Amino acid sequence: MDAMSGTFARARAGVMRAAYTRPSAYVCGLFNLLILLALLPVIAQAADTQANPYAGLPVRKAGLWEVTIQAHSPAGMGGRVQPAMTVLQCTDAKAERVVPLFLLPAREGCQRITVKKNAARGSHEVSTVCQTHGQRMDMQLTLRGDMQARYDGTYRIQHPATPSNNTGQVPFEGRWLGRCKPGQRAGDMVLPNGITVNTVDDARRASEHAH
């Protein structure tokens, strides 16, 4: 069992249950979220400014964020339009260092990560080349916003070996709701089907397993 299988397996199980009770468009949207979960960290390590390639990115305010992946069409012609999907994310500064935005991949599985600030546009541009389950996955992300009350942007994922799995430009946005709910911990992410996964816990377990 690989390092991030705890988070991924629980989310995948929830998708399979939803397949029996929800419309197909809803289930397709959840599978799109699984693509993002596959990019979550495989090993958690403390990162200093010199070692962390994401150090140039702004950090979200601690608390509960509502993050929506907007409706979008996949790359190519004739693909099914994916409906908008919303998750809730409880975070703090430590969790953001483990999983930036709960979206970007950890550096341990990546051959290249670049972060560039575009002052003219008020945005940050992120490009990653990583390996997930032995397959290369390239991601490009644009991020805008103050990260205190809201942010938005787009991302695109490409699979050189299986281009049919490529995404088009996917818009996303986040807004701060306040403090995390009682009982929630930093790293908790509530998926659209109600399942909660904690990405920080899974990364820590993966690190212990690796050692």
Side-chain angles (χ1 to χ4, degrees):
M1 182 175 291
D2 59 51
M4 55 72 65
S5 59
T7 294
F8 189 74
R10 287 195 296 276
R12 182 173 56 189
V15 170
M16 297 309 296
R17 288 197 296 271
Y20 292 99
T21 59
R22 295 295 190 121
S24 59
Y26 178 90
V27 176
C28 286
L30 287 179
F31 273 113
N32 192 55
L33 277 180
L34 288 183
I35 294 175
L36 299 182
L37 286 172
L39 290 170
L40 292 180
V42 294
I43 298 177
Q45 295 180 353
D48 56 31
T49 302
Q50 288 74 29
N52 183 6
Y54 294 123
L57 280 177
V59 176
R60 290 186 298 182
K61 182 178 181 179
L64 187 64
W65 286 85
E66 179 187 77
V67 180
T68 299
I69 300 171
Q70 301 294 352
H72 60 280
S73 298
M77 299 295 293
R80 183 187 296 272
V81 174
Q82 305 299 312
M85 305 296 289
T86 298
V87 298
L88 297 176
Q89 300 174 349
C90 174
T91 193
D92 62 11
K94 291 182 179 179
E96 291 291 298
R97 286 196 293 271
V98 176
V99 194
L101 302 175
F102 290 17
L103 181 63
L104 289 163
R107 67 185 183 276
E108 287 79 14
C110 298
Q111 292 77 52
R112 184 172 71 248
I113 298 174
T114 59
V115 176
K116 296 181 180 179
K117 182 176 181 179
N118 189 323
R121 296 183 177 180
S123 65
H124 288 77
E125 310 288 336
V126 184
S127 176
T128 67
V129 177
C130 308
Q131 295 287 324
T132 300
H133 305 300
Q135 298 293 320
R136 175 174 165 172
M137 298 178 71
D138 300 350
M139 185 175 189
Q140 295 83 40
L141 179 141
T142 299
L143 178 66
R144 300 175 294 269
D146 61 13
M147 311 299 283
Q148 300 299 299
R150 65 173 301 278
Y151 62 89
D152 63 70
T154 60
Y155 71 82
R156 181 179 64 176
I157 297 173
Q158 295 174 295
H159 304 255
T162 55
S164 61
N165 293 327
N166 292 351
T167 70
Q169 290 287 352
V170 182
F172 64 88
E173 61 181 7
R175 65 186 185 101
W176 190 75
L177 300 181
R179 294 183 179 180
C180 295
K181 296 179 180 179
Q184 285 186 321
R185 299 179 298 117
D188 278 355
M189 178 163 59
V190 184
L191 302 177
N193 55 7
I195 288 179
T196 297
V197 297
N198 189 286
T199 59
V200 174
D201 285 352
D202 279 295
R204 286 172 178 165
R205 282 192 291 268
S207 180
E208 293 170 0
H209 178 75
H211 292 89

